[in-house]
Amino acid sequence: SPQVVCSSTGLSTSGTALIQLGSCTIAAGLGAGDRLEVQFDFAHSGTATGFTGALLIGGTTVASRARGATEALLAGHTSFGTYVGGQTWDTQTWGVALSLAASAGTAAVNTSQAVTVSLQGQMAGATSDSVLLRNFTVIRYPAQSNP
């Protein structure tokens, strides 16, 4: 059965360095066949400066998207699947004016240790605008075999 590991709102920043706006820690022991799903929504207040939203799982960047000054939202969905010796991931992101973008890759996160899901944001330049992590949800799908 799916397990909601965490679901929350996050912080905001007007800073120009990536900082963690929200996080979730998955207990040690993700195994082969387990899957994580992460859904997230960033909001941008103001129209003076662009922003970036990013998602890291266990230190691997699985989403990072820079947006222009007039974009109000950045939404996304990531699927992170484990296998013996590593992980694969795929991500989709989009916004109000921002077209859908998809990416995929592999990771080598040590899942025998706790794994941190980190949602980060930053502004493109000094500004009174801000980027806010509106909400995020992390769901774990434990491996299940059916003969």
Side-chain angles (χ1 to χ4, degrees):
S1 297
Q3 305 164 347
V4 175
V5 179
C6 56
S7 188
S8 189
T9 59
L11 304 173
S12 67
T13 185
S14 293
T16 58
L18 272 176
I19 66 161
Q20 185 168 278
L21 303 178
S23 69
C24 178
T25 301
I26 292 93
L30 282 174
D34 287 351
R35 178 171 297 280
L36 298 176
E37 300 281 341
V38 183
Q39 298 176 31
F40 53 92
D41 298 293
F42 291 92
H44 175 217
S45 69
T47 57
T49 306
F51 70 99
T52 297
L55 169 64
L56 288 76
I57 299 179
T60 298
T61 302
V62 298
S64 180
R65 194 108 187 245
R67 292 312 318 134
T70 59
E71 181 62 64
L73 298 171
L74 173 62
H77 173 92
T78 295
S79 180
F80 187 85
T82 61
Y83 59 88
V84 174
Q87 304 85 34
T88 58
W89 56 267
D90 60 84
T91 297
Q92 297 178 342
T93 56
W94 59 92
V96 174
L98 177 64
S99 63
L100 178 69
S103 59
T106 60
V109 175
N110 181 356
T111 57
S112 68
Q113 303 293 318
V115 174
T116 299
V117 174
S118 177
L119 294 113
Q120 302 181 358
Q122 77 181 78
M123 299 308 300
T127 184
S128 60
D129 287 8
S130 63
V131 59
L132 166 68
L133 178 59
R134 286 267 185 227
N135 61 54
F136 67 98
T137 301
V138 178
I139 301 170
R140 180 181 179 183
Y141 294 90
Q144 180 178 347
S145 296
N146 293 318

